[in-house]
Amino acid sequence: MQLYFIRHAESTNNYNRRVTGSSKGRSSDPELTDTGKQQAQLLAEFLRNNYSPIPVLERDFQNSRGFNFTHLYSSLMIRSVMTATLISQALNFPLTAWVDIHECRGPYFRDNQTDEPIATEGKNRAYFTANYPELILPDYLGEKGWWNRPIEETEVWFIRAKRVLQELLEKHGNTNDRVAIVSHGGFYNCFLATVLNFPPGHCFSFILNNAAVSRIDFDNGKVRLCYLNRVDFLPKDLIT
């Protein structure tokens, strides 16, 4: 399996924190900024233009002959869905929701007085059907939103990352599948630490820019980091 971990493009929360250095006034489920929409469009065009109608070389570790995804997943957070939808449309390829690859903590805002995080409900089936009709949703998603829980505690982040890794390996591990997941920077840190077998709480930080692509190959029990945080398809003024 070739796994492509793609971070969503710039959201309004990303922009506010980048400009103000604060998370005050954050949205619980932000959309993309204009910059983010440009990033996502360039990412989608890059993936589309690097498609090869002939089999891709097995050891093409930089994807110089194309990406040719076989599966495309997205978290159900709007910034991820917006990014993944543009990829799906550019590639004319189905997009499947995967709840478990959401950002750490889940959707939340901060109390203006205490600054405490307060969980909010995720979007429901009716919302996605109306706004993203081609998104393949989980059968259980109904009138209630996909997130109906308190804030996700830190220790759960790594449990979930391990669960996602196990599910990926069970579905795609012993195949030639090329799996792309559109997810989030915080979860990327937990997921990559899990892949590398770092203990929870270990001091680490893996940088992942907006709309960046990382490739990790899983081959007969071996893990190969081909590249991390690839943004060479973006002009310098759109790298955030």
Side-chain angles (χ1 to χ4, degrees):
M1 171 182 62
Q2 293 178 10
L3 176 65
Y4 297 86
F5 194 111
I6 302 172
R7 187 186 177 194
H8 62 82
E10 183 187 68
S11 71
T12 57
N13 284 353
N14 295 149
Y15 173 80
N16 289 340
R17 188 165 187 83
R18 176 163 63 87
V19 172
T20 69
S22 169
S23 60
K24 186 176 181 180
R26 77 185 310 276
S27 167
S28 62
D29 198 3
E31 297 187 355
L32 299 183
T33 62
D34 288 341
T35 293
K37 292 174 184 176
Q38 293 180 64
Q39 292 171 338
Q41 188 63 55
L42 289 170
L43 167 62
E45 291 172 2
F46 171 68
L47 297 172
R48 180 187 63 204
N49 293 338
N50 282 276
Y51 173 83
S52 174
I54 60 177
V56 177
L57 294 175
E58 180 180 354
R59 299 184 67 81
D60 179 16
F61 297 132
Q62 291 298 317
N63 296 99
S64 61
R65 291 279 298 278
F67 289 86
N68 297 24
F69 297 149
T70 60
H71 298 78
L72 177 62
Y73 299 103
S74 173
S75 89
L76 278 177
M77 289 180 152
I78 300 306
R79 54 200 185 274
S80 179
V81 174
M82 291 178 71
T83 303
T85 295
L86 287 174
I87 296 172
S88 173
Q89 292 172 345
L91 301 181
N92 192 26
F93 195 80
L95 173 61
T96 301
W98 190 349
V99 171
D100 252 1
I101 60 174
H102 65 78
E103 181 59 296
C104 300
R105 296 191 173 191
Y108 72 96
F109 67 94
R110 289 191 177 276
D111 184 272
N112 288 332
Q113 301 299 322
T114 66
D115 202 39
E116 288 297 312
I118 300 174
T120 61
E121 185 176 78
K123 299 292 192 293
N124 63 10
R125 178 174 290 274
Y127 174 87
F128 288 112
T129 300
N131 293 278
Y132 302 96
E134 296 180 355
L135 176 63
I136 302 171
L137 298 167
D139 292 339
Y140 62 80
L141 183 63
E143 292 183 6
K144 292 185 177 181
W146 63 269
W147 184 267
N148 289 281
R149 287 159 279 175
I151 292 290
E152 183 184 47
E153 298 297 332
T154 306
E155 59 269 18
V156 180
W157 303 351
F158 293 92
I159 295 173
R160 177 164 55 86
K162 184 176 182 179
R163 185 167 66 240
V164 168
L165 177 59
Q166 289 174 336
E167 190 168 342
L168 280 167
L169 293 175
E170 289 170 2
K171 287 184 176 180
H172 309 287
N174 294 317
T175 71
N176 293 319
D177 290 347
R178 293 166 169 248
V179 181
I181 63 174
V182 182
S183 184
H184 306 265
F187 182 66
Y188 173 76
N189 272 258
C190 297
F191 180 81
L192 191 53
T194 300
V195 169
L196 298 176
N197 202 28
F198 283 14
H202 187 79
C203 184
F204 60 85
S205 179
F206 304 113
I207 302 302
L208 191 66
N209 288 90
N210 291 120
V213 183
S214 294
R215 173 179 165 183
I216 309 168
D217 289 3
F218 297 83
D219 183 16
N220 294 320
K222 296 180 181 179
V223 176
R224 181 185 295 115
L225 300 183
C226 296
Y227 50 79
L228 303 177
N229 199 33
R230 181 175 180 179
V231 290
D232 56 316
F233 51 88
L234 295 177
K236 291 182 179 180
D237 62 335
L238 285 181
I239 296 176
T240 61

